[in-house]
Amino acid sequence: RFKVSFLTARQSLASMHQKGLIYRIPRKGTFVAPRRKAGKILVVYSISQQPTEALRFFRHYGETSFFMRMVETASENKFAYDPVFISSESYFVEIRNDLLHHYPDLVGVIFFRNINLLTSSQPILEAQHLPFFFYGSSMHLAKLDGIPRLLYDEVEITRIALDHLLEKGFRRVGILYLD
């Protein structure tokens, strides 16, 4: 039907099986394997340890929901990579000189709003040929020359939030800035 010899077909199936593209179940057949992840991406972030209500709220509704959406998306096979989250800055500093030893299938690092850790880690990651990326506030733009990044406009976000609070009738509104 396909004008391919039996031996060629068997060799092709053996090669695909060895690469993990198909799997076999005895007396059932040969099946296409689910898509495998290409590796891991390290997501490095820091959560302040100050026990204020504002920070508890932000941790719950801000960073936590962001990371939960990221994990859900990754688990639905929408990402080619599995995210690995590190929230301890001291742990990352301890292992950053040999990341590939700790995470052999690591393909890159995302720094979530931690510009200081990124700038101190940049030469170390470059020496290991690990790509990295920064996600955070546009107020850090001057420190990010030549670094891949996705920035949000913090001034605009603050303006939208204040407009919303004023619209809801709040008249005594303060802004807490944490660096």
Side-chain angles (χ1 to χ4, degrees):
R1 177 174 161 189
F2 294 107
K3 298 185 185 199
V4 176
S5 74
F6 180 74
L7 183 60
T8 302
R10 278 184 59 100
Q11 287 173 339
S12 295
L13 287 171
S15 173
M16 287 189 285
H17 183 262
Q18 185 178 13
K19 292 177 184 175
L21 300 173
I22 60 173
Y23 65 97
R24 295 180 175 138
I25 300 177
R27 293 185 290 284
K28 297 275 185 190
T30 302
F31 304 91
V32 176
R35 193 171 118 200
R36 290 187 317 185
K37 301 292 183 172
K40 298 195 180 317
I41 292 191
L42 205 56
V43 180
V44 182
Y45 67 104
S46 297
I47 298 179
S48 176
Q49 300 303 314
Q50 301 171 22
T52 66
E53 282 303 312
L55 285 172
R56 275 194 215 107
F57 176 84
F58 182 73
R59 271 189 230 144
H60 181 72
Y61 294 103
E63 290 173 353
T64 304
S65 61
F66 172 85
F67 291 122
M68 289 309 295
R69 283 192 306 272
M70 190 176 202
V71 170
E72 287 168 5
T73 304
S75 66
E76 293 169 358
N77 282 328
K78 293 181 183 174
F79 282 168
Y81 306 100
D82 280 324
V84 176
F85 300 99
I86 294 182
S87 63
S88 169
E89 188 172 322
S90 60
Y91 174 68
F92 181 76
V93 168
E94 183 181 314
I95 68 166
R96 71 182 171 186
N97 289 316
D98 198 12
L99 284 172
L100 293 173
H101 173 76
H102 295 277
Y103 300 99
D105 53 351
L106 185 65
V107 295
V109 181
I110 297 174
F111 290 88
F112 183 78
R113 297 179 20 193
N114 195 328
I115 186 70
N116 296 328
L117 188 57
L118 166 66
T119 54
S120 68
S121 301
Q122 181 178 358
I124 297 166
L125 296 174
E126 287 172 346
Q128 295 178 63
H129 305 287
L130 277 172
F132 52 91
F133 182 84
F134 177 77
Y135 173 83
S137 171
S138 59
M139 70 181 191
H140 297 300
L141 186 58
K143 296 179 183 177
L144 294 168
D145 190 36
I147 295 175
R149 62 195 173 263
L150 177 62
L151 304 175
Y152 53 82
D153 187 348
E154 200 156 311
V155 173
E156 181 63 16
I157 291 172
T158 304
R159 188 194 62 74
I160 292 169
L162 290 174
D163 287 350
H164 174 75
L165 292 171
L166 291 171
E167 199 175 277
K168 293 290 183 185
F170 294 94
R171 296 293 171 246
R172 297 178 72 191
V173 178
I175 299 175
L176 171 66
Y177 172 76
L178 299 171
D179 186 11

